[in-house]
């Protein structure tokens, strides 16, 4: 550390690397203005693109599978759609151990290592996509490993929370999460574009069906380099890993990470905890999936599977021997606070909806508006291609783009007027938007010309995305006000873990309702959940007689 940092009160721990800080008090205004702000901002602006890449690698199967269908990969639609379910469930589950990484292992160690791990699924995906004869289980394994990207959000948010004073946390966490969420949009734009040219060499494949990018449609017969969908992320991941190691800090203050092992010890501990998440997620997926796609065929209901996975992950993590188990014992105290569970529900409404809709929006556009819904011999059919249908790859990126772009605004407004109030307004908007989307879904799915309903459907869905984005930022503000400094980080990680199951649950529900020819029922169900959240948020945080009136 430089002399200026030492004089400002940020002293390296004796014998530690220069990336370690032993004293950290951002609530001290003189310390914050003199040195803390610059250190915190440096860590934030390395964290943001690292998190962006995590979101991209986690959710790129939603785009890759569409292109695999367009290229004629020898898999049924139902088989390919398991890949998004696998990545969604695994990424959410890995957020549970990731919620507790910062205290035992240090922020710099965690962000560097978890960012570097993203290279494994990225390279593997690029290699596997070069051959249409690659077996399904290989893609399923790579989708499982893509869960690394989903887990990274919990540790990233927990880490950034410690760097900023409470009055700045709404904006800081909103920037980290909001710009990090741009990984969804970035992926939905970059992957289709990079598929159009030989950026990393290799042989092209020929489109059997029309594809597209945000620029326009691509006709069948065109050359496509689908393997670029994996390799393109190395352009960012390699320099980001370097930046994380040399530019970020471990805070060794008592309330953050007082006892950090060597980097090798930290990486081993992180790997062990991630392995627990992989094992429980794999078991849950085996219970859930049909036998023909390497599952058990038991068909255990998804709600039961989620409970089994979450409970078993929390239980097994606590059984890890030694210092990790002892550290978790202290952090698990968040489960004794009822507000941990209240905020888990509210955050599921906002972030769970955002990530779930981001994963399912392309498919919804494709299935509802890309086909004509015709009555044939007295039976409604949904498999006739609609020549006037919109291209999902042209429009799907806009929803996540708006939700991510507006998220920091939610944090900033909440810093000014109160998190719970902003959350309440967003909840009301979400109820109305979801019901509106359901209405136009129903009309379109019964029409031979569904494209006539696309504009109101699309605008209402964009409104829904915007409300989830602002609500994401406002919930961070509420958490910062309700929990103390030591608990706020793990609570942010835990609530994000529970909410992230939206990436698995919402596409599953939409897929089931589309199969039942009633997609609007899914949105009506979501609207009912949002209405329940309006009451919960009011009861705990907007009543003047509530324990944490925030207004």
């Amino acid at each position: 550390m430089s002399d200026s940092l030492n004089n400002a009160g940020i002293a390296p721990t004796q014998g530690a690397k220069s990336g370690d800080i032993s004293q950290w008090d951002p609530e001290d205004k003189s310390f914050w203005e003199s040195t803390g702000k610059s250190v915190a901002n440096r860590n934030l602006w390395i964290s943001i693109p690292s998190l962006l890449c995590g979101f991209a690698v986690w959710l790129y199967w939603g785009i890759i599978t569409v292109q695999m269908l367009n290229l004629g990969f020898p898999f049924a639609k139902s088989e390919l759609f398991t890949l998004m379910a696998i990545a969604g469930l695994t990424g959410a589950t890995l957020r549970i151990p990731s919620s507790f990484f910062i205290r035992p292992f240090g922020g710099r160690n965690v962000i560097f290592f978890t960012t570097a791990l993203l290279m494994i699924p990225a390279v593997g995906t690029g290699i596997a996509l070069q051959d249409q004869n690659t077996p399904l289980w290989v893609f399923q394994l790579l989708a499982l490993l893509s869960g690394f990207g989903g887990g990274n959000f919990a540790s990233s948010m927990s880490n950034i929370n410690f760097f900023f004073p409470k009055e700045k946390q709404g904006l800081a966490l909103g920037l980290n999460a909001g710009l990090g969420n741009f990984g969804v949009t970035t992926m939905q734009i970059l992957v289709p574009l990079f598929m159009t040219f030989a950026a990393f060499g290799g042989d092209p494949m020929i489109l059997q069906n029309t594809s597209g990018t945000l620029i326009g449609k691509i006709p069948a017969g065109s050359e496509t380099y689908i393997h670029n969908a994996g390799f393109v992320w190395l352009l960012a991941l390699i320099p980001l890993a370097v930046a994380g190691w040399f530019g970020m800090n471990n805070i060794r203050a008592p309330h953050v990470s007082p006892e950090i092992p060597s980097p090798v010890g930290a990486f081993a501990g992180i790997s062990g905890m991630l392995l627990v998440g992989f094992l429980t997620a794999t078991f849950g997926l085996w219970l859930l999936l049909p036998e023909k796609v390497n599952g058990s065929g038991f068909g255990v209901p998804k709600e039961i599977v989620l409970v089994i996975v979450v409970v078993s992950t929390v239980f097994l993590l606590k059984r890890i021997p030694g210092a990790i188990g002892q550290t978790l014992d202290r952090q698990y105290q968040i489960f004794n606070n009822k507000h941990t569970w209240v905020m888990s529900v509210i955050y599921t409404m906002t972030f769970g909806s955002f990530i779930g809709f981001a994963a399912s929006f392309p498919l919804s556009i494709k299935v509802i508006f890309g086909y004509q819904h015709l009555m044939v011999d007295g039976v409604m059919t949904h498999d006739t291609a609609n020549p006037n249908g919109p291209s999902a790859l042209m429009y799907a990126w806009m929803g996540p783009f708006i939700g991510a772009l507006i998220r920091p605004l939610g944090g900033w407004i909440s810093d000014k007027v109160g998190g719970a109030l902003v959350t309440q307004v967003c909840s009301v908007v979400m109820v109305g938007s979801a019901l509106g989307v359901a209405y136009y879904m129903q009309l379109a799915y019964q029409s031979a010309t569904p494209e006539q309903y696309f504009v109101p459907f699309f605008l209402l869905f964009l409104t829904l995305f915007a409300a989830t984005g602002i609500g994401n930022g406002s919930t961070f503000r509420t958490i910062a006000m309700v929990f103390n400094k030591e608990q706020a980080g793990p609570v942010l990680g835990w609530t994000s873990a529970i909410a992230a199951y939206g990436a698995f649950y919402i596409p599953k529900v939409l897929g089931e309702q589309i199969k039942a020819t009633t997609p609007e029922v899914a949105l009506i169900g979501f609207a009912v959940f949002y209405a329940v959240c309006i009451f919960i948020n009011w009861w705990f945080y907007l009543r003047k007689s509530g324990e944490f009136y925030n207004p």
Side-chain angles (χ1 to χ4, degrees), residues 241-322:
V242 174
W245 183 251
F246 291 103
M248 298 190 76
N249 301 98
N250 298 317
I251 302 177
R252 288 181 175 260
H255 67 286
V256 186
S257 306
E259 299 178 6
I260 303 174
S262 68
V264 173
F267 302 156
I270 293 168
S271 299
M273 292 178 70
L274 287 173
L275 180 60
V276 170
F278 274 121
L279 291 174
T280 56
T282 301
F283 178 66
L285 288 163
W286 180 76
L287 290 175
L288 181 76
L289 294 176
E291 189 174 1
K292 66 178 182 179
V293 289
N294 303 315
S296 64
F298 295 161
V300 178
K302 56 187 175 299
E303 293 83 3
I304 295 177
V305 167
L306 292 181
V307 172
I308 291 173
V309 170
V310 171
V311 172
S312 60
T313 303
V314 172
F315 176 81
L316 291 175
L317 285 173
K318 184 62 177 64
R319 296 301 177 272
I320 296 177

Side-chain angles (χ1 to χ4, degrees), residues 11 17 19 21 28 45 48 78 118 133 186 239 339-340 442 466-467 509:
K17 291 184 177 295
I21 298 170
D28 182 334
W45 289 106
I48 286 171
S78 59
L118 295 172
N133 295 317
T186 303
H339 293 283
T340 298
Q442 182 181 31
V509 171

Side-chain angles (χ1 to χ4, degrees), residues 202-277:
D203 297 326
M205 296 181 184
I206 305 301
L207 283 173
Q208 295 183 9
N209 299 307
T210 300
S211 183
T213 70
L214 80 164
I215 298 173
K217 291 186 177 181
I218 300 175
S222 301
E223 293 185 344
T224 291
Y225 298 82
I226 189 174
H227 55 276
N228 290 351
F231 292 143
V232 65
W233 303 108
L234 297 178
L235 298 178
L237 289 172
I238 293 173
L240 281 172
V242 174
W245 183 251
F246 291 103
M248 298 190 76
N249 301 98
N250 298 317
I251 302 177
R252 288 181 175 260
H255 67 286
V256 186
S257 306
E259 299 178 6
I260 303 174
S262 68
V264 173
F267 302 156
I270 293 168
S271 299
M273 292 178 70
L274 287 173
L275 180 60
V276 170

